Amino acid sequence: MLSDVMEDYLKAIYQLQRETDERIKTSAIAEELEVTSPTVTSMLDKLEERGLVDREKYRGVTLTDEGETVALEVVRHHRLLEAYLTEHLDYDWAEVHEEADRLEHHISEDFEARVADALDQPTVDPHGSPIPSADLERPERPDGKSVTEYEEGDVVTVEEVADRDAEVLTYLADHGVEPGVELEIVEVAPFGMITARSSRRDGTVSLPESIAHHVRVAQPAEVDG
Amino acid sequence: MLSDVMEDYLKAIYQLQRETDERIKTSAIAEELEVTSPTVTSMLDKLEERGLVDREKYRGVTLTDEGETVALEVVRHHRLLEAYLTEHLDYDWAEVHEEADRLEHHISEDFEARVADALDQPTVDPHGSPIPSADLERPERPDGKSVTEYEEGDVVTVEEVADRDAEVLTYLADHGVEPGVELEIVEVAPFGMITARSSRRDGTVSLPESIAHHVRVAQPAEVDG
DNA sequence: CATCGCGTTTAGCCTCGTCTAACCCTAAAT
DNA sequence: ATTTAGGGTTAGACGAGGCTAAACGCGATG
């Protein structure tokens, strides 16, 4: 019914939508999927025909409920796979993305269920990203904001590291930035770079703004104020 | 480099070659892959261009060494996956073929290695089919012949059940026909049907010739003669 | 309110893997 | 040796998914 490529487009639109809340532009999808804009336009025609996206010419698209359901299914596959690979096949969190990206389109519902069972129905993947539930209801937006919204002196808990680059992830793990750790923000540079002290490592770690932006954190129970 | 579809053709040719030892006909490949003959012809053109098959027009193909290596890689993936799914994800031997068929093209070398490690370098899959080794050397033809070559009174050990049909496999398992069991052949009907007594079940089991043909067996250490 | 730049869409082309219809080769049978 | 059945190949089409080049709409600018 739906091709792998169509699933990729829907997933891309879904993920872009989570970040911006606005209609998604052709060019944003093109960049995400590394294809040209005309290619995206023609695929959007097809997705619109099938009722998977709402479209306004020249103004971008949003997912329909049906399109979102498909996207959630793909995202569920992806994140379950990431979790399974780290838990049962000794993968590092930096390596799982690529493998999951290829496998996510090719597993059966049966496989999905067995993997979920083996992991005891996990709710987050190794990067702290929420795994959509089996019923594919629209998950609520996780609370917690980007670490870039905090200030010097704040102490926060890392909830999600939404980066996909293997080298970046390895660097972050080596410097104690992973879901679950506490960060004390020691400096916010004028150009956005954040320097923090991790509860898991000596010394400090510095995150350029583009990377810090993908680190979602929550403030632990406040000590004062 | 090589598409999934090309891999499928090479695998099909490899498997047909294991059965017959002769040049493989267009129509045999077409039947195996459920496509039409002209489709096969045009794919064989491409495989020949790439040096993966030796071709004689109107007389079928054989794999080149390079083509065989590719086929062995795919078969290794397939059988490792089958073994992994049964060992670690609680799949039944009847269910694994389809899943492995879809995944075999999409796993990395890394994944292959990790799965092989998790299984402690297995040499056969759940159906008793040999798993090509990691170096992809041409495996020797397993000894043992089809059970159809034996006669009433012979006692044999099942080595491989090379069927892919889930219903057939379920039936066979239910009736005690699996790798490792001993079969005593109690009747060979004129139309080829074999009736046997399994060491694992009461009563007898009858196998139509088309199914019996896929059951490869060895004769255990002879008692007399 | 006319223009201009940038991003989107249209138009047209390509490759891959598939099909059907028509043609042609091989091998077996006479 | 000729015929013929059956299977293989050629020819031409199509849908999917990609591209480049050119046309066009939107929104900001003067």
Side-chain angles (χ1 to χ4, degrees), chain A residues 5-214:
Chain A
V5 174
M6 285 179 172
E7 289 183 356
D8 279 332
Y9 277 81
L10 294 171
K11 178 177 127 186
I13 295 166
Y14 176 81
Q15 281 167 342
L16 292 166
Q17 216 161 259
R18 292 307 92 178
E19 286 171 22
T20 72
D21 235 4
E22 286 164 18
R23 304 187 80 79
I24 306 305
K25 304 284 192 46
T26 300
S27 54
I29 301 168
E31 190 178 348
E32 176 77 14
L33 296 177
E34 299 183 338
V35 295
T36 59
S37 289
T39 301
V40 175
T41 297
S42 75
M43 181 55 76
L44 292 179
D45 288 343
K46 290 172 202 162
L47 294 175
E48 188 183 20
E49 261 177 35
R50 297 199 184 210
L52 298 165
V53 300
D54 273 331
R55 189 122 174 270
E56 264 183 79
K57 287 244 154 126
Y58 293 99
R59 288 159 196 258
V61 292
T62 59
L63 294 176
T64 62
D65 286 352
E66 197 188 336
E68 187 176 79
T69 299
V70 173
L72 284 168
E73 174 85 21
V74 178
V75 170
R76 177 170 164 81
H77 286 184
H78 184 94
R79 294 185 180 162
L80 279 175
L81 284 163
E82 289 193 337
Y84 189 85
L85 295 174
T86 52
E87 291 286 320
H88 291 276
L89 283 171
D90 202 32
Y91 271 76
D92 188 273
W93 81 333
E95 306 170 306
V96 291
H97 178 76
E98 209 190 345
E99 195 83 46
D101 243 15
R102 276 179 288 104
L103 294 177
E104 64 190 9
H105 305 296
H106 305 288
I107 68 175
S108 65
E109 290 305 285
D110 191 21
F111 187 96
E112 174 195 317
R114 286 170 196 265
V115 164
D117 283 349
L119 295 165
D120 206 14
Q121 318 303 328
T123 58
V124 293
D125 77 3
H127 309 100
S129 305
I131 299 175
S133 62
D135 61 17
L136 304 179
E137 289 305 308
R138 177 186 291 111
E140 55 217 56
R141 199 75 62 96
D143 42 302
K145 297 176 287 194
S146 164
V147 68
T148 57
E149 299 189 31
Y150 289 82
E151 295 171 9
E152 293 174 11
D154 288 342
V155 174
V156 296
T157 303
V158 175
E159 305 226 309
E160 179 181 1
V161 181
D163 209 294
R164 286 177 289 195
D165 185 286
E167 290 186 4
V168 169
L169 289 170
T170 298
Y171 178 89
L172 292 176
D174 284 349
H175 292 76
V177 179
E178 291 177 288
V181 307
E182 263 192 8
L183 295 180
E184 179 197 344
I185 299 175
V186 299
E187 187 189 1
V188 179
F191 47 92
M193 186 177 76
I194 288 175
T195 300
R197 195 182 315 282
S198 164
S199 61
R200 193 120 5 127
R201 282 288 187 290
D202 290 334
T204 60
V205 54
S206 294
L207 311 176
E209 216 235 342
S210 62
I211 290 175
H213 186 256
H214 293 129

Side-chain angles (χ1 to χ4, degrees), chain B residues 53-70:
Chain B
V53 300
D54 272 331
R55 188 123 174 271
E56 263 184 79
K57 287 245 155 127
Y58 295 100
R59 287 158 196 259
V61 292
T62 59
L63 293 177
T64 61
D65 286 350
E66 197 188 336
E68 186 176 79
T69 299
V70 174

Side-chain angles (χ1 to χ4, degrees), chain B residues 26 29 38 67 94 112 139 144 146-147 149 159 167 171 200 208:
Chain B
T26 299
I29 301 168
E112 174 196 318
S146 164
V147 68
E149 299 188 31
E159 305 225 309
E167 290 185 5
Y171 178 89
R200 192 121 4 127

